[in-house]
Amino acid sequence: LLKQRSEVSGAYVALNASANHGVLMFILRKAFTDVDGPPAFPYELMSALYFFLTAMANNMNGGQLLVSAGVVPVFVSALKHTHSQQLRSIGRAAKLLDYLISSTSSTFPAFCSANGITTLVDRIHSEVMSAVAVSDANPEAAADLTSPVTLPRFPDYPKQLYRRREILAAEQIYLLKELFKLLTHLVQQPSYNDRLRNLVETTLPQTLRTVLNYPAAFGSNVYGMAISISAMLVHNEPTSLPIIQEARLPETMLENLEKHVPYNSDVIMNIPGALGAFCLNDVGMEQVRKSNIIGSVLRVFSDPDFVRILQEGDVTGSFGASLDEFIRHFPTVKDQAMDQIIQMLKDVLAMGEADSPLVRLNPGNTFLLRTAEEEELKSYYDDFYGMMLESVTTFLEGLLEQRAHSELFMERGGWDLITR
């Protein structure tokens, strides 16, 4: 349909897309009428409807037509549905809301008028608590956090490097991701701050703390978004930090990240921003100084399990720049942070020694590729130590932008370690 631009307006007219009583609105209302009941339409029809609405939302006039027809309150009501067979449709409704809010200016006021913010926060809380109940019934899933995920675990299937057991149903994981994406995009928009000012007085801080307490249940993507949302709540409204601290959100994040940093680049890049938000008062600053959070995060550079993750895009450069900004704004942690950076360099150098774990993992980088299928997997058998060094140097390039930081780095022996 989108390839035939001249026919798009005809399709809108045929479906009476802009009318509150049109065909599209009739189907949507019927689909989400029974809050606790099964789907009113077959999965194939709902999928086709979703793809059509997505195409409309991405069209110049389609999104405005949908909003004027009253689709936003219908999608908000869809967030209240609880039947297990409706989870994917609810996730798609959240995704369409995200599309419309980002593309059509009139969507957010309609979303607020339909009590969308409260409905969204309540649904996130409900799904998180449901996921916690499933996680508590599967305690062995936490073993995935500490077990190795590098090549020795999957010697015959390198593509499974970072695959882990999922304890939640695929539909529930999809719904959680879409709900958190919608909330993330809302709090990222400065013009929405007035309407979102009271988020810290809802169940959201407690919900975020629960997510940070259960990394094995929610996965790295949701975990990273929880850290990002926590930081943005404080940056958007600094006076809310005591409320967030009362909910023990910073304390929980620090404790869990010191134990284990999830295998995800978004988590790594979001940590400096969260630390900066939590250090805006004396209590938060003291919590960060007493913790070993910076050292725990920097250990990813000498961990073979993170080698490939740190090669994604500009993860290390962005992380270095973010850490530089954090140290610049909070100079009281500068000495502690630089000591941990120097220790990280020593740990990386130790990985290049003859008796390091990398030698057993990647001995000489020599593999006999016997078939065409194995030849395709050649990129999975890279020089791990070389990749480590590349990640570290890119990180330092982003970190040492400030002359004062470079001088402190030199004083602590950083230059000698780099040139060793």
Side-chain angles (χ1 to χ4, degrees):
L1 179 62
L2 291 180
K3 291 180 181 178
Q4 303 293 330
R5 296 288 182 180
S6 60
E7 304 297 331
V8 171
S9 59
Y12 292 165
V13 172
L15 292 169
N16 212 355
S18 62
N20 187 263
H21 56 274
V23 177
L24 282 179
M25 292 301 300
F26 173 79
I27 296 175
L28 283 172
R29 285 197 185 93
K30 190 171 181 180
F32 298 114
T33 298
D34 189 356
V35 174
D36 300 317
F41 297 111
Y43 175 77
E44 292 77 11
L45 175 61
M46 292 303 297
S47 294
L49 178 63
Y50 163 73
F51 288 121
F52 180 76
L53 293 173
T54 302
M56 281 191 69
N58 288 323
N59 181 263
M60 184 178 299
N61 299 320
Q64 188 59 53
L65 289 175
L66 288 174
V67 175
S68 62
V71 77
V72 175
V74 176
F75 285 154
V76 171
S77 68
L79 298 181
K80 301 176 183 178
H81 283 243
T82 58
H83 197 280
S84 59
Q85 294 180 18
Q86 291 272 40
L87 294 181
R88 185 165 292 276
S89 295
I90 300 167
R92 287 171 166 177
K95 191 168 188 174
L96 282 166
L97 278 172
D98 198 3
Y99 276 142
L100 291 171
I101 289 173
S102 62
S103 62
T104 308
S105 59
S106 58
T107 305
F108 185 68
F111 180 72
C112 294
S113 299
N115 203 26
I117 296 172
T118 302
T119 303
L120 175 62
V121 171
D122 290 345
R123 184 56 194 252
I124 290 176
H125 178 73
S126 172
E127 287 301 317
V128 166
M129 299 315 294
S130 173
V132 167
V134 176
S135 178
D136 288 340
N138 295 270
E140 71 280 357
D144 285 341
L145 295 180
T146 55
S147 57
V149 297
T150 42
L151 288 176
R153 185 178 179 191
F154 302 113
D156 298 323
Y157 303 99
K159 289 187 177 181
Q160 297 187 20
L161 276 175
Y162 301 109
R163 186 170 297 175
R164 65 180 180 86
R165 290 170 291 179
E166 297 290 0
I167 62 175
L168 302 180
E171 291 80 6
Q172 192 171 5
I173 295 172
Y174 174 75
L175 175 57
L176 277 166
K177 287 181 180 178
E178 294 305 330
L179 292 174
F180 270 88
K181 281 181 186 176
L182 174 57
L183 182 58
T184 300
H185 294 158
L186 288 176
V187 297
Q188 280 177 339
Q189 183 59 254
S191 59
Y192 300 160
N193 286 352
D194 289 343
R195 297 290 189 97
L196 302 175
R197 194 180 301 275
N198 296 326
L199 276 178
V200 293
E201 298 174 5
T202 65
T203 58
L204 185 58
Q206 195 62 41
T207 303
L208 294 173
R209 178 172 176 262
T210 303
V211 172
L212 297 177
N213 256 332
Y214 287 83
F218 297 99
S220 300
N221 290 325
V222 173
Y223 199 89
M225 286 187 279
I227 293 176
S228 177
I229 292 170
S230 303
M232 285 186 286
L233 288 176
V234 178
H235 286 307
N236 292 342
E237 185 59 46
T239 57
S240 66
L241 180 55
I243 301 174
I244 289 177
Q245 288 170 333
E246 188 176 341
R248 298 183 60 201
L249 184 54
E251 179 183 344
T252 301
M253 190 195 86
L254 294 174
E255 288 177 356
N256 282 279
L257 287 177
E258 282 189 68
K259 295 175 185 175
H260 170 77
V261 178
Y263 303 108
N264 185 274
S265 56
D266 290 336
V267 173
I268 295 170
M269 289 193 294
N270 286 332
I271 290 174
L275 296 181
F278 297 153
C279 286
L280 289 177
N281 64 15
D282 294 338
V283 175
M285 174 64 74
E286 193 62 25
Q287 284 180 328
V288 172
R289 289 185 62 183
K290 287 183 177 179
S291 71
N292 188 38
I293 180 63
I294 297 176
S296 299
V297 177
L298 289 175
R299 278 200 292 271
V300 303
F301 288 97
S302 58
D303 187 341
D305 291 338
F306 282 90
V307 167
R308 295 194 182 284
I309 292 171
L310 295 178
Q311 294 287 310
E312 297 175 3
D314 188 31
V315 174
T316 51
S318 298
F319 176 63
S322 299
L323 192 59
D324 165 71
E325 183 178 1
F326 170 66
I327 296 173
R328 202 159 16 95
H329 283 95
F330 303 97
T332 54
V333 302
K334 181 166 63 175
D335 290 334
Q336 179 185 358
M338 194 58 68
D339 289 340
Q340 291 166 332
I341 291 168
I342 296 299
Q343 183 59 49
M344 177 269 290
L345 288 176
K346 293 177 180 177
D347 293 340
V348 171
L349 287 174
M351 295 300 283
E353 301 294 337
D355 58 346
S356 79
L358 275 183
V359 175
R360 298 190 296 274
L361 169 67
N362 197 207
N365 195 26
T366 55
F367 293 90
L368 179 62
L369 304 174
R370 295 162 294 185
T371 64
E373 288 76 13
E374 290 183 359
E375 181 70 30
E376 292 179 2
L377 300 177
K378 184 177 180 180
S379 61
Y380 288 89
Y381 299 112
D382 287 324
D383 175 11
F384 274 38
Y385 188 58
M387 295 164 72
M388 271 188 184
L389 293 179
E390 181 184 1
S391 298
V392 169
T393 52
T394 307
F395 163 75
L396 291 176
E397 186 178 350
L399 175 75
L400 302 177
E401 290 286 342
Q402 299 294 314
R403 182 182 180 88
H405 296 169
S406 300
E407 290 175 349
L408 182 60
F409 180 75
M410 302 281 278
E411 291 173 7
R412 300 295 170 89
W415 177 252
D416 295 333
L417 291 173
I418 290 177
T419 55
R420 182 180 297 177

